[in-house]
Amino acid sequence: MDDLKEALQTLFTPEWQPQLLTALKTLARVGGGDPAAIGLTGLTLDLRGLWPQTLTIADQVLVSETLWPRITATATLASQPPVAKPVDWLVRKLLRQYTTALRDPEQLPQAIFPQWAAVRALYNHLQAYAAINHQQHLDAEQAPVTLTLFGPVAAETKALLAQTPVVWHPQTMTPPWQRAFSAQTHMEDLEIAAAKPRMGHAEAGLQNDVLVRARGLKKRHWHQTAAPAFSVQPPQLRQLSGRPAAYTVFDLEFSSGNQQEGQFATEIGAVKVRAGEIVDVFDAFVQIPHGKRLNRRSQALTGIHTGLLMRYGRPPATALTEFQNFIGQDPLLGFAVKGGDLLVMQRQFGLYATPGRILDVADLAKASGPMPGLPDVGLAKYRRYLGLDILAHGAIYDAVTTYALYAYLQGQPLLPEELMTKFNQVFAATSFK
């Protein structure tokens, strides 16, 4: 390990190629790989040598080379590394982008699906490299790096980690969905970019979609519910126990900014589900409260702007009442509701979720292991994983995605084409003029 630490923390000189190769080959040797298989031609690396030569999972031995070439190990650097940067700066970037690609079925060919356990074990091995890399920076008196490995962990990875102070914990993982894998035959070669990607704004067509929906929504009436899902009582949040088959899924779009902007709902969307199918849809745009203004970032993300809410928004109290009546006595499902939707309900309306009435699907996803990659993956990533041809950052669309994710976690994944056809039919029949 001392040789590895020295190789990783060496500072790059203009003759950087031997330094990088030395570090990668030392890492391969420590991790049971094949140092001779690591090569560098110009700015293109062959990293197969970082793979352990065998992956032993549940007493079954797989020669990792059989994953090639469907799982690539070729990485092209955007530019040569800067002088005086430590070698591990680039190694960290390599490992981060490699594991990001391996954890994402969208980047993996469908042909590799039968070997998903081996791919996941390879991912976990590279995660172990990254943890060891981090561990090298710590002093002896500091707490060791902790690592959670989801899914299969090869015997070779356990042996590697046993040589280090890294503390690791295994966790089970829900098997991935075959339909989520790419139709391509090979994983794309890695491109190790120098620049960070831009943070996203509203997707193309989102603002037009919002306008079309707002213009077309009709006024509806629901009987007053005897069991509101939100009340003025501030109880401690207690989640719904069990897994309901009849329920309502909801989502809020909201503006959140400084004190003058405040935090308030701009759209409330919900779908009512019976026997696994959408049977009714709720969608309401909500007027801006008096004295508040819409956050610019919210407008960019959602496509919902001030003029639209002034013309087509429902008064907040009216939208809230209609939403509560639409829910009726249903259990209520949402995604990552604690820091977002429920906080808005509390701050804008002074309402709290009825104890035992709401189920956070994000918590179910985390408990099921990373899908498609890590437990903190957002709803937009799940939307793509589930194959939904639907816009992000629309309350009604995020409610549909949450519904599809819940069905998947129940072991009943929905074919995206059939789901979208059904949703569009019900939405048109129930909500439009």
Side-chain angles (χ1 to χ4, degrees), residues 351-362:
L351 297 179
Y352 301 83
T354 301
R357 185 75 178 271
I358 194 165
L359 181 64
D360 195 327
V361 179

Side-chain angles (χ1 to χ4, degrees), residues 10 27 30 52 68 81 109 123 151 153 191 207 259 300-301 304 315 351-352 364 387 394-395 399 409 417 432:
T10 297
L27 194 59
V30 168
W68 178 267
Y123 169 92
V153 181
E191 294 183 8
Q207 186 164 322
Q259 186 173 4
L301 285 174
I304 300 172
L351 297 179
Y352 301 83
L364 296 184
L409 294 171
E417 300 85 357
F432 285 108

Side-chain angles (χ1 to χ4, degrees), residues 4-267:
L4 178 61
K5 183 173 183 177
E6 181 181 352
L8 287 171
Q9 297 187 1
T10 297
L11 300 181
F12 277 122
T13 68
E15 300 299 322
W16 59 273
Q17 295 92 337
Q19 295 174 294
L20 178 58
L21 286 173
T22 296
L24 292 174
K25 290 184 177 185
T26 305
L27 194 59
R29 186 164 52 251
V30 168
D34 179 8
I38 292 179
L40 175 60
T41 303
L43 294 176
T44 299
L45 283 157
D46 187 342
L47 300 172
R48 270 176 292 172
L50 289 181
W51 299 6
Q53 296 184 62
T54 58
L55 291 164
T56 306
I57 308 168
D59 297 326
Q60 292 188 342
V61 180
L62 171 74
V63 177
S64 58
E65 189 72 12
T66 60
L67 298 175
W68 178 267
R70 290 171 295 178
I71 300 298
T72 190
T74 303
T76 301
L77 307 178
S79 61
Q80 64 184 43
V83 172
K85 277 280 190 181
V87 173
D88 74 345
W89 170 83
L90 182 54
V91 172
R92 286 199 309 271
K93 182 173 286 192
L94 284 166
L95 292 173
R96 183 169 59 249
Q97 294 198 222
Y98 201 173
T99 52
T100 297
L102 281 182
R103 79 188 188 201
D104 189 351
E106 288 183 313
Q107 300 192 47
L108 302 177
Q110 285 186 350
I112 206 70
F113 173 75
Q115 294 176 286
W116 78 267
V119 175
R120 189 68 199 184
L122 175 58
Y123 169 92
N124 283 333
H125 199 80
L126 296 175
Q127 286 287 87
Y129 282 144
I132 292 169
N133 197 353
H134 186 193
Q135 183 69 47
Q136 305 289 337
H137 288 271
L138 302 182
D139 297 328
E141 63 272 13
Q142 290 182 278
V145 172
T146 59
L147 178 66
T148 300
L149 298 178
F150 289 87
V153 181
E156 292 77 6
T157 307
K158 298 175 184 178
L160 167 62
L161 290 168
Q163 303 175 55
T164 76
V166 174
V167 177
W168 69 280
H169 307 282
Q171 288 287 344
T172 57
M173 174 181 164
T174 299
W177 192 20
Q178 185 172 358
R179 284 183 61 98
F181 285 69
S182 169
Q184 62 195 26
T185 56
H186 296 85
M187 177 182 168
E188 295 291 337
D189 289 343
L190 301 174
E191 294 183 8
I192 310 302
K196 293 182 179 179
R198 290 176 63 247
M199 295 302 291
H201 291 282
E203 296 185 38
L206 180 56
Q207 186 164 322
N208 183 64
D209 174 85
V210 168
L211 182 59
V212 169
R213 281 190 291 123
R215 284 175 173 169
L217 292 174
K218 65 183 179 183
K219 292 183 179 180
R220 300 179 63 193
H221 174 75
W222 295 272
H223 294 296
Q224 183 173 355
T225 179
F230 299 92
S231 68
V232 295
Q233 299 300 320
Q236 184 177 0
L237 180 63
R238 177 165 55 85
Q239 287 217 49
L240 172 73
S241 61
R243 301 292 179 265
Y247 52 88
T248 293
V249 189
F250 84 108
D251 186 83
L252 303 183
E253 294 301 328
F254 53 87
S255 181
S256 180
N258 56 34
Q259 186 173 4
Q260 183 177 4
E261 291 166 336
Q263 192 168 41
F264 52 87
T266 57
E267 183 189 1

